[in-house]
Amino acid sequence: MSTFNVPKRDEVSSSNQALFDNLEKAVGFVPNLYATYAYSENALQNYLALSGAKTSLKGKEKEVVNLAVSQVNECSYCLAAHTAIGKMNGFTDEQILELRAGKASFDPKLNALAALSKNITENRGGTDAAVVASFFAAGWTKENLVDTIVLVGDKTISNYLHKTTDVPVDFPEVSLAL
């Protein structure tokens, strides 16, 4: 595997430097994975637009998808980041482990979302009809289905970027094992 150093602010383009400044203000630091997108003139801006785009899923629901997808893809960086974000969204450690496994025994609607996210990722979009039917039976809509698929794609991009570059994890690390 190639070795990727995390680019520093003075090593990226001026447009990416502005994005680094915005991330510093919003998050308090530039996460290593976001900095890695800045090797490209356009990727960081494009990724931030995608991940920050309007969606029918609420923040807590997005974390359900992020955790399930990152577990299937075995992305240590995204699991660490979304465990921290999941906690900020009110999930307990036990709930986060369940969500990573594609389940949510504590909430039937989130259970259907977690199962769908895991199934889409495991089957590379060839989602089981029964899982989709359960998703709709739990009260989700076709809009929610489309937005979930977009979010699966969003998270898969980051999972793949980290697994290819293996930049250091700058969130509290978590075990890949469930």
Side-chain angles (χ1 to χ4, degrees), residues 5-109:
N5 296 317
V6 178
K8 305 280 186 250
R9 186 184 183 282
D10 62 351
E11 298 172 330
V12 300
S13 69
S14 59
S15 60
N16 280 328
Q17 287 177 1
L19 294 172
F20 276 32
D21 294 344
N22 291 339
L23 285 165
E24 273 288 341
K25 289 177 197 162
V27 183
F29 70 108
V30 177
N32 286 343
L33 194 60
Y34 282 1
T36 304
Y37 278 103
Y39 274 112
S40 165
E41 178 64 32
N42 301 300
L44 179 58
Q45 180 177 345
N46 292 342
Y47 183 75
L48 290 172
L50 174 63
S51 65
K54 288 183 180 183
T55 178
S56 62
L57 302 177
K58 296 176 179 70
K60 198 167 187 171
E61 296 163 348
K62 289 173 68 172
E63 291 316 307
V64 169
V65 177
N66 291 333
L67 287 161
V69 171
S70 296
Q71 182 67 44
V72 171
N73 289 329
E74 298 179 338
C75 180
S76 60
Y77 190 97
C78 294
L79 284 171
H82 291 289
T83 294
I85 297 167
K87 288 178 183 179
M88 289 189 289
N89 276 277
F91 289 121
T92 66
D93 289 331
E94 295 77 21
Q95 290 171 334
I96 288 169
L97 287 174
E98 267 196 66
L99 294 170
R100 287 173 51 185
K103 301 180 279 199
S105 65
F106 55 92
D107 183 307
K109 194 167 182 182

Side-chain angles (χ1 to χ4, degrees), residues 69-177:
V69 171
S70 296
Q71 182 67 44
V72 171
N73 289 329
E74 298 179 338
C75 180
S76 60
Y77 190 97
C78 294
L79 284 171
H82 291 289
T83 294
I85 297 167
K87 288 178 183 179
M88 289 189 289
N89 276 277
F91 289 121
T92 66
D93 289 331
E94 295 77 21
Q95 290 171 334
I96 288 169
L97 287 174
E98 267 196 66
L99 294 170
R100 287 173 51 185
K103 301 180 279 199
S105 65
F106 55 92
D107 183 307
K109 194 167 182 182
L110 294 181
N111 188 60
L113 178 62
L116 177 75
S117 302
K118 179 182 180 189
N119 193 266
I120 289 170
T121 308
E122 286 177 334
N123 295 305
R124 297 182 307 181
T127 315
D128 293 340
V131 173
V132 175
S134 294
F135 179 78
F136 290 136
W140 296 101
T141 67
K142 289 178 181 176
E143 177 184 21
N144 299 140
L145 176 70
V146 171
D147 286 345
T148 299
I149 293 167
V150 170
L151 186 54
V152 167
D154 162 347
K155 193 47 43 201
T156 299
I157 293 167
S158 283
N159 294 166
Y160 287 9
L161 182 63
H162 183 260
K163 289 192 67 146
T164 299
T165 63
D166 198 31
V167 295
V169 176
D170 51 357
F171 289 88
E173 293 193 43
V174 297
S175 171
L176 285 176

